[in-house]
Amino acid sequence: MALPTINTDKKKNLARRAPRRQLEQRHVQMIAIAGTIGTALFLGSGQALSGGGPVGALLAYALVGSVAYASLSSAGEMTSLAPVPGSFAHFAHRWVDEAVGFAVGWVSRTNGVTIPSEIVGAELLITYWKANDQPYIVLILGVICLVNLFGVRYFGEVEFWFGIVKSAMIIVLILMGIVIDLGGAPDRRRLGFQYWKDPGPFTAAVTPGYEFLGFVSAVMQAAAAFQGIEISVIAASETVSPRRNIARAMKKVFVRICVFYLAGIFVAGLIVPSNDPQLLQPPGNITHSSGTTQRIVNASPFVIGMQNSGFGTSVVSIINAGVLSSAISAGNSFLFSASRILYGLSLRGQAPAFLAKLNTRTGTSIPSILFTSAFGFLAFLSIKNETFQWFYNVQAVGQLTTWSVINFTYLRFYKGMAVQRQPRKNLVYWNRFQPWLALWGLFWCIVFIVFGGYPIFMDFYGANQPFIICYLIPPIFFLALIGRKYSHKTRMVSPDDMDFETDIPTIEETETKEVEPSGFWAKLAYRLV
């Protein structure tokens, strides 16, 4: 396979417009491991439990986790060839159709909606201590905006330490959950699989006849929890030795999904009954064994489990503070990824040109960051519970649409590589299970998008979930695609015409010699991270 080449006349112009590669190995690995883990997992998982029950929530997370793994493997392999700004939107533009790249680039801007979602989640966590949480919206938004404005090096350093905190906290929560389940909590109750029997393995908190709808709501919540898992490939254009570091990050994805997501939701289902009134609820036909609650106490299922097991307020406050920090970190990561996609759109002439202007000191697009951060002010909407759930559904459908395009783009990429006889095994990262992973991911994404709003037709959500919330993104995607296609007369790129070389940095230009650290602890950290 021929190495990518860059036209000599364009090198200087591309260098001026390209972001700086300042994310080191430890940064990108930690961002890949825990960068986007936030309230969707710690807080929103309560909605999956109350909707799908402990077994239903676990199955939902496992199914969506497999789709996330398939989609990230597809994106990772394409990034291994072309670590350029714009990521999957650029790939769709290059190997499918310019109109598809335009449409998915703007649809993936639902990452901007995730910013207020994380802020609203942080507000709900703050209510554990204070009733008036509105002033913290400006504080949280200001912090994450400043971190991104200071440059990618500062972003990477902040997310590295946040990632360590989140990773350690998840492991501690899982271990504490096991201790609680085995009777090591202050109340000395041995739970075992008690809550799988009573209130039941599936949707015991849902009105009889609506069990399947509860599982569907759990699937959509799980999709929101996996939102932004592809952040490491989006950051490839700003990563030192991107091909090697992205390959290392991809190899840890499966373990991350199993340990953080599946083990987390499994343990949560052991220590909290699915009909606990403190869990965040999918609004609608849900009746608790304790009766209808006048006010939902919004808390992480892990925090609820500790409260129910007799842990003191100091321990619960520490855990709640850790979950709050994860919300701020996730909002920071989503602002980074959404602004980078917007910057890539501008580079290709699919967004206003001023959004591609890089600051000479920080190497970042300040206009893109400020424009994206403006979405954070949606957090001022006063209907907290409904707002949180609306944001979740919008970002879940947006994520599924993005994954659909990533997997479809990969199938076209796979076909083009085969037709042009370019061996994938020459890539720094490739997955032996392709193209079956991409087919699996594409199939389930379409199923989830089509049936994700099905509970609305059965009045499962009552009046609290408008129809447009579940089916807003697909029409926007197709309107953008059709409008761009007809206004710019674009066409689908044939496998023979796919360009795998032009304006793609060569391995020599991006990769540096790998130097393993010396010393036991340094080597251990190097292997783990």
Side-chain angles (χ1 to χ4, degrees):
M1 174 177 159
L3 291 174
T5 59
I6 301 181
N7 187 296
T8 306
D9 296 332
K10 294 183 179 180
K11 277 188 177 181
K12 292 183 179 179
N13 182 53
L14 287 172
R16 285 195 299 268
R17 304 187 71 189
R20 299 174 184 173
R21 297 189 182 276
Q22 295 181 326
L23 287 177
E24 300 175 4
Q25 174 187 304
R26 62 187 180 89
H27 295 145
V28 73
Q29 298 304 322
M30 193 55 69
I31 289 171
I33 291 171
T36 56
I37 293 176
T39 55
L41 174 62
F42 290 115
L43 182 60
S45 56
Q47 181 175 323
L49 280 176
S50 58
V55 176
L58 180 61
L59 292 176
Y61 268 68
L63 179 57
V64 176
S66 70
V67 174
Y69 174 73
S71 304
L72 193 54
S73 295
S74 297
E77 191 167 317
M78 293 185 289
T79 302
S80 182
L81 174 69
V84 296
S87 189
F88 52 82
H90 174 86
F91 303 151
H93 177 146
R94 189 177 189 119
W95 298 318
V96 182
D97 188 319
E98 191 268 348
V100 177
F102 172 81
V104 74
W106 281 103
V107 163
S108 67
R109 295 279 301 139
T110 52
N111 269 342
V113 178
T114 313
I115 298 169
S117 174
E118 293 298 329
I119 295 176
V120 170
E123 288 183 85
L124 297 178
L125 292 166
I126 291 172
T127 57
Y128 179 81
W129 300 290
K130 297 179 70 67
N132 182 18
D133 49 42
Q134 289 262 330
Y136 293 95
I137 296 177
V138 177
L139 178 61
I140 295 171
L141 182 59
V143 168
I144 64 176
C145 185
L146 285 174
V147 169
N148 278 270
L149 288 174
F150 284 155
V152 68
R153 183 188 298 276
Y154 292 94
F155 167 81
E157 201 64 37
V158 168
E159 282 305 306
F160 174 77
W161 292 106
F162 264 132
I164 291 177
V165 171
K166 286 194 285 187
S167 301
M169 185 176 65
I170 293 174
I171 294 173
V172 168
L173 288 175
I174 291 173
L175 293 176
M176 289 185 71
I178 294 173
V179 170
I180 292 172
D181 186 65
L182 296 178
D187 64 0
R188 300 298 180 185
R189 285 188 305 141
R190 193 178 190 282
L191 299 175
F193 288 87
Q194 173 184 326
Y195 296 139
W196 286 36
K197 300 175 183 178
D198 181 21
F202 292 97
T203 49
V206 175
T207 303
Y210 286 83
E211 289 82 3
F212 174 71
L213 303 184
F215 175 75
V216 172
S217 72
V219 166
M220 298 307 290
Q221 191 284 319
F226 283 96
Q227 168 90 354
I229 197 173
E230 67 279 357
I231 185 174
S232 57
V233 299
I234 294 176
S237 64
E238 298 176 70
T239 301
V240 176
S241 300
R243 292 176 170 96
R244 181 176 70 240
N245 285 321
I246 294 304
R248 292 191 59 171
M250 293 301 102
K251 293 172 183 178
K252 294 181 174 67
V253 169
F254 184 78
V255 175
R256 169 192 170 184
I257 290 173
C258 290
V259 173
F260 290 171
Y261 290 92
L262 299 189
I265 196 71
F266 171 74
V267 170
L270 292 178
I271 63 176
V272 180
S274 59
N275 60 359
D276 192 304
Q278 296 179 92
L279 291 170
L280 190 69
Q281 309 295 325
N285 295 293
I286 293 197
T287 305
H288 298 291
S289 58
S290 59
T292 304
T293 56
Q294 296 295 321
R295 177 177 177 272
I296 298 175
V297 180
N298 299 284
S300 164
F302 299 100
V303 173
I304 295 172
M306 291 181 188
Q307 288 176 322
N308 294 345
S309 300
F311 280 94
T313 56
S314 58
V315 175
V316 175
S317 291
I318 292 172
I319 298 301
N320 208 56
V323 176
L324 176 61
S325 70
S326 75
I328 299 172
S329 168
N332 188 39
S333 295
F334 288 128
L335 175 55
F336 172 85
S337 58
S339 63
R340 268 45 179 191
I341 292 296
L342 183 60
Y343 167 75
L345 287 170
S346 183
L347 275 183
R348 298 189 300 277
Q350 297 172 337
F354 76 92
L355 294 171
K357 185 177 180 179
L358 293 179
N359 182 276
T360 55
R361 295 184 63 185
T362 64
T364 57
S365 171
I366 293 179
S368 293
I369 294 171
L370 293 177
F371 180 84
T372 304
S373 63
F375 282 89
F377 289 104
L378 291 173
F380 279 105
L381 292 172
S382 60
I383 41 177
K384 294 289 169 48
N385 294 327
E386 290 81 359
T387 304
F388 194 53
Q389 291 153 348
W390 291 355
F391 284 154
Y392 263 156
N393 278 276
V394 169
Q395 71 191 58
V397 178
Q399 183 67 74
L400 292 170
T401 303
T402 299
W403 286 347
S404 299
V405 175
I406 287 175
N407 286 303
F408 181 76
T409 301
Y410 178 81
L411 293 173
R412 298 287 300 163
F413 167 85
Y414 183 91
K415 178 70 173 177
M417 294 282 282
V419 168
Q420 297 186 25
R421 300 184 183 280
Q422 300 205 37
R424 294 168 44 246
K425 291 184 179 181
N426 286 355
L427 298 174
V428 177
Y429 171 78
W430 63 280
N431 195 305
R432 68 181 68 221
F433 298 110
Q434 293 285 18
W436 307 112
L437 283 176
L439 289 169
W440 172 269
L442 179 60
F443 170 77
W444 282 111
C445 282
I446 294 173
V447 170
F448 295 157
I449 291 171
V450 172
F451 293 100
Y454 183 66
I456 289 179
F457 299 106
M458 301 298 292
D459 199 32
F460 178 70
Y461 294 127
N464 292 321
Q465 183 96 322
F467 170 84
I468 194 173
I469 294 298
C470 288
Y471 290 104
L472 174 67
I473 299 300
I476 291 177
F477 173 79
F478 285 109
L479 284 174
L481 190 155
I482 294 171
R484 185 77 178 184
K485 192 169 185 65
Y486 281 93
S487 64
H488 288 70
K489 308 298 181 185
T490 66
R491 64 181 182 86
M492 182 170 282
V493 182
S494 69
D496 290 309
D497 294 333
M498 289 182 187
D499 186 355
F500 298 114
E501 296 184 357
T502 305
D503 295 342
I504 295 175
T506 64
I507 290 179
E508 289 77 8
E509 289 176 308
T510 63
E511 308 304 299
T512 59
K513 184 178 179 181
E514 185 173 16
V515 179
E516 290 197 21
S518 59
F520 174 78
W521 295 110
K523 287 184 178 180
L524 179 62
Y526 178 81
R527 296 299 179 187
L528 292 176
V529 177

